């Protein structure tokens, strides 16, 4: 492609290539130490932490579960744009270009260091990025200068190049091509090598879980086979929604892991994984829900959890005399989540879970141990990669989302979702099965689900089998659809008598409310 400034463009390319070399090798270094310290991830995490809540909510709404990919892509694009500028600057003054690159890396280093559990070793990827990036840029600049010395007004280079001017142009082009190819390979190998090392390290660990002393009853067969398009009664682990502030998945070894219970307790207690597994295990079916889920949204899942009763663990530390009102949990990276102590200890089946659907927790869902508190949104009760439980007060300590204005007391709101038909579906007139799920944890479960078509009367739907009050419930309703456009709405009624409200609220600060409603066309 011909442009007016081919040389400027080429130098911009050099800046980008040098930066990719730095990022690639830094990614590999981070994979060998702490993957989260990789420059792009560290900057991305900082952006997540510093983004104002409304904007974060907008991003989740707009990009859904792709929000993290969008974020990493944006950070990378921003970095490469600056890298292109660095390249252009390097054409006139190499130090300026290299300086911009090093400044860019400085931002990544600061981002890596400001993470709660960061240590000095987290600087390693940034150092590697700075050295590798600057070296690559110098190499490219050297090849450029020997190739076109006259334009840079460098007398010495001029003389040196003068000798082989005749055959030099061809040789110079080849040298440049060779350098670019070699550096491209280094960048790609670094990046891919980093991915490979990370994924090898993130392989599931082989742990054997004990059987529950207090098992859950057999989960009834759901409506999965009867109602096409309905949410499965049990969510397979690989399909379970994932919501957290992490761009990578923390890799924790069960052998190195401990859980400490401290703060305003009679005695601090620290357990290792085997000691935790030696305690009596309970098994419960619990539906987890995210506060960021909009009405009808996807951030909800039902699983069978195996773990130790939170109450048993707190008893080990002794909380009879505590003045704490907050159970502050800290994850392995220093991220904090608050849970109202009153709710965590009111007799509900709160547990420190090690198993999910008959397997050890997947890494994405908190291996080796996480908190699960039925009836509370995940952001105040489902700490993954749990490391510490501290009895404290809201006045004394603020957790991650408390600092960002989210509620500290956020029971899951009653909600029903229509899975089938989909919004704006084109249906054939006649019998249509409307179906979905509903949940009302710690409110006596789902007592009824009602469907309304075109603003008519609320009609009871048929309920699927009961998986317990903390578990969701499938439902369906046979509807005889006449041609035309129709509006379908659903609402749930909880066992405690409360009916899902039609008043709409956004997820911030304590969960979305309103009815799931959709339009279909029948012909
Ligand atoms: N350590 C840690 N735990 C966390 C989070 C997090 O960002 N970090 N996110 C919470 C939120 S907001 C939710 S909804 C649940 C989601 O759990 P899941 O990803 O296993 O579905 O985890 C909770 N636990
Ligand atoms: Mo959440």
């Amino acid at each position: 492609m011909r442009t007016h400034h081919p040389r400027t463009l080429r130098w911009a390319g050099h800046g980008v290539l040098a930066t990719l070399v730095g990022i690639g090798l830094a990614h590999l270094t981070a994979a060998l130490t702490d993957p989260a310290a990789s420059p792009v991830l560290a900057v991305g995490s900082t952006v997540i932490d510093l983004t104002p809540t409304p904007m974060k909510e907008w991003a989740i709404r707009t990009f859904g579960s792709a929000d993290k990919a969008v974020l990493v892509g944006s950070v990378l694009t921003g970095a490469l744009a600056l890298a292109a500028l660095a390249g252009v600057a390097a054409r006139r003054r190499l130090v300026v270009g290299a300086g911009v690159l090093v400044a860019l890396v400085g931002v990544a280093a600061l981002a890596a260091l400001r993470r709660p559990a960061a240590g000095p070793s987290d600087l390693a990827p940034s150092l590697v990025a700075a050295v590798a990036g600057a070296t690559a840029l110098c190499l490219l600049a050297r090849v450029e200068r020997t190739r076109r010395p006259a334009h840079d007004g460098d007398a010495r280079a001029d003389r040196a190049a003068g000798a082989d001017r005749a055959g030099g142009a061809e040789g110079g082009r080849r040298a440049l091509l060779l350098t670019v190819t070699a550096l491209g390979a280094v960048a790609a190998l670094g990046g891919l090598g980093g991915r490979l090392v990370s994924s090898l390290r993130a392989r599931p660990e082989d742990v054997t879980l004990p059987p529950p002393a207090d098992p859950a009853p057999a989960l009834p067969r759901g409506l999965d086979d009867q109602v096409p398009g309905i949410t499965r009664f049990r969510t397979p682990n690989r399909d379970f929604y994932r919501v957290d502030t992490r761009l990578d998945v923390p890799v924790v070894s069960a052998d190195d892991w401990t859980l400490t219970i401290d703060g305003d307790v009679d005695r601090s207690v620290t357990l290792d994984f085997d000691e935790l597994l030696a305690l009596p295990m309970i098994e419960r079916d619990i539906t987890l829900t995210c506060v960021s889920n909009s009405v009808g949204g996807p951030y909800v899942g039902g699983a069978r959890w195996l773990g130790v009763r939170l109450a048993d663990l707190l008893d080990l530390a002794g909380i009879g005399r505590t003045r704490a009102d907050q159970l502050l949990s800290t994850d392995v990276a220093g991220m904090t989540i608050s849970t109202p102590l009153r709710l965590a200890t009111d007799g509900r089946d709160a547990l420190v879970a090690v198993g999910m659907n008959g397997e050890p927790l997947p890494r994405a869902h908190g291996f080796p141990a996480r908190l699960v508190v039925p009836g509370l949104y995940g952001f105040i009760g489902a700490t993954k990669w749990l490391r510490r439980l501290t009895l404290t007060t809201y006045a004394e300590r603020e957790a991650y989302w408390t600092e960002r204005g989210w509620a500290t007391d956020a029971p899951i709101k009653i909600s029903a979702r229509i899975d089938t038909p989909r919004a704006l579906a084109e249906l054939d007139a006649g019998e249509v099965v409307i179906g979905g799920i509903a949940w009302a944890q710690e409110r006596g479960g789902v007592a009824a689900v009602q469907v309304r078509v075109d603003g008519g009367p609320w009609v009871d739907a048929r309920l699927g089998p009961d998986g317990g009050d903390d578990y969701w419930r499938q439902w369906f309703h046979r509807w005889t659809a006449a041609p035309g456009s129709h509006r379908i709405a659903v609402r749930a009624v909880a066992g405690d008598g409360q009916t899902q409200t039609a008043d709409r609220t956004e997820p911030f600060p304590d969960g979305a409310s309103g009815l799931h409603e959709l339009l279909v066309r029948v012909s």
Side-chain angles (χ1 to χ4, degrees):
M1 190 181 72
R2 256 353 240 158
T3 72
H4 292 299
H5 304 287
R7 296 224 297 145
T8 308
L9 260 189
R10 210 167 62 227
W11 278 89
H14 294 340
V16 168
L17 180 57
T19 303
L20 286 174
V21 168
I23 288 177
L25 291 180
H27 200 60
L28 180 58
T29 311
L32 294 165
T33 54
D34 178 1
S38 178
V40 176
L41 293 190
V43 172
S45 304
T46 303
V47 173
I48 291 181
D49 290 354
L50 300 183
T51 303
T53 298
M55 209 177 137
K56 219 168 344 197
E57 283 301 292
W58 171 83
I60 292 176
R61 267 202 314 278
T62 312
F63 304 117
S65 43
D67 59 342
K68 285 174 182 172
V70 170
L71 173 66
V72 170
S74 312
V75 169
L76 204 56
T77 308
L80 293 183
L82 289 172
L85 286 182
V88 172
R91 180 186 166 193
R92 297 256 166 267
R93 306 260 329 253
L94 183 54
V95 275
V96 176
V100 173
L101 278 195
V102 172
L104 205 57
V105 173
V107 172
L110 281 180
L113 281 185
R114 68 172 284 290
R115 299 171 314 127
S121 71
D122 289 327
L123 274 183
S126 302
L127 278 177
V128 168
V131 172
T135 307
L137 191 61
C138 291
L139 271 176
L140 287 163
R142 229 173 82 187
V143 177
E144 281 285 352
R145 301 247 196 278
T146 42
R147 195 177 162 217
R148 288 267 182 84
H151 291 273
D152 294 283
D154 181 324
R156 262 184 312 143
D158 224 343
R159 248 177 285 126
D164 58 351
R165 172 75 34 97
E170 185 53 34
R173 196 169 302 134
R174 201 173 317 128
L176 183 62
L177 196 66
L178 212 67
T179 311
V180 166
T181 310
L183 289 176
V186 169
L189 285 177
L192 294 176
R195 288 195 87 141
L196 183 68
V197 171
S198 300
S199 64
L200 283 179
R201 288 184 61 184
R203 273 174 314 178
E205 209 169 286
D206 197 15
V207 299
T208 309
L209 301 179
D214 179 356
L219 191 75
R221 280 178 72 88
L223 302 176
D224 304 20
D225 299 332
Q226 277 156 268
V227 181
I230 202 167
T231 295
R232 272 169 291 186
F233 197 31
R234 158 118 57 232
T235 314
N237 289 354
R238 67 176 176 285
D239 296 336
F240 207 94
Y241 81 92
R242 176 183 166 200
V243 171
D244 52 60
T245 60
R246 303 280 306 209
L247 290 169
D248 62 331
V249 170
V251 177
V252 186
S253 159
D255 292 332
D256 307 334
W257 179 85
T258 57
L259 172 64
T260 297
I261 304 159
D262 62 3
D264 189 7
V265 291
D266 295 342
R267 55 199 121 29
S268 298
V269 175
T270 296
L271 301 160
D272 63 22
F273 195 59
D274 289 335
E275 289 167 331
L276 184 74
L277 295 192
L279 296 172
M281 294 273 147
I282 63 169
E283 185 183 55
R284 293 294 182 267
D285 293 317
I286 298 169
T287 291
L288 216 62
T289 317
C290 181
V291 69
S292 294
N293 196 41
S294 45
V295 173
Y299 304 134
V300 55
R304 172 159 291 199
W305 307 94
L306 173 78
V308 177
R309 240 179 224 295
L310 177 65
D312 290 355
L313 286 167
L314 297 180
D315 281 347
L316 288 179
I319 60 163
R321 284 191 298 266
T322 192
R323 277 164 322 212
D325 58 7
Q326 173 181 214
L327 182 67
L328 184 81
S329 33
T330 307
D331 79 0
V332 293
M335 197 268 187
T336 51
I337 284 184
S338 76
T339 308
L341 185 62
R342 176 177 50 84
L343 299 182
T345 55
D346 67 358
R348 68 184 72 200
D349 288 324
L351 67 156
V352 170
V354 292
M356 181 178 183
N357 290 332
E359 290 168 23
L361 286 178
R363 293 200 186 276
H365 297 289
F367 183 85
R370 75 176 302 169
L371 201 59
V372 173
V373 181
L376 298 184
Y377 285 117
F379 82 114
I380 59 160
T383 319
K384 303 192 275 190
W385 315 292
L386 184 63
R387 164 57 44 88
R388 186 178 296 275
L389 290 166
T390 306
L391 282 99
T392 180
T393 62
Y394 285 103
E396 233 165 87
R397 301 276 304 272
E398 280 204 323
Y400 183 90
W401 278 297
T402 317
E403 284 170 0
R404 287 159 180 77
W406 289 85
T408 52
D409 197 338
I412 297 174
K413 296 180 181 175
I414 309 168
S415 204
R417 178 175 85 190
I418 303 168
D419 294 329
T420 181
R422 313 298 284 177
L424 306 180
E426 308 269 355
L427 306 169
D428 293 334
E431 189 185 273
V432 169
V433 178
I434 304 170
I437 47 164
W439 55 92
Q441 301 96 318
E442 291 296 311
R443 299 169 184 274
V446 174
V449 172
Q450 298 171 329
V451 176
R452 182 181 67 186
V453 178
D454 298 330
W458 287 105
V459 179
D460 278 336
R462 294 269 300 277
L463 294 183
D466 189 356
D469 288 358
D470 290 332
Y471 208 61
W472 58 14
R473 196 130 181 199
Q474 295 168 316
W475 58 268
F476 72 97
H477 175 67
R478 292 185 207 283
W479 168 50
T480 310
S485 236
H486 299 285
R487 175 178 292 274
I488 306 170
V490 67
R491 71 179 184 191
V493 181
D496 66 4
Q498 272 194 68
T499 299
Q500 179 178 346
T501 177
D503 295 340
R504 291 186 150 275
T505 59
E506 292 295 316
F508 184 81
D510 64 358
S513 70
L515 303 183
H516 192 204
E517 211 163 354
L518 48 83
L519 272 178
V520 295
R521 260 185 292 276
V522 179
S523 52

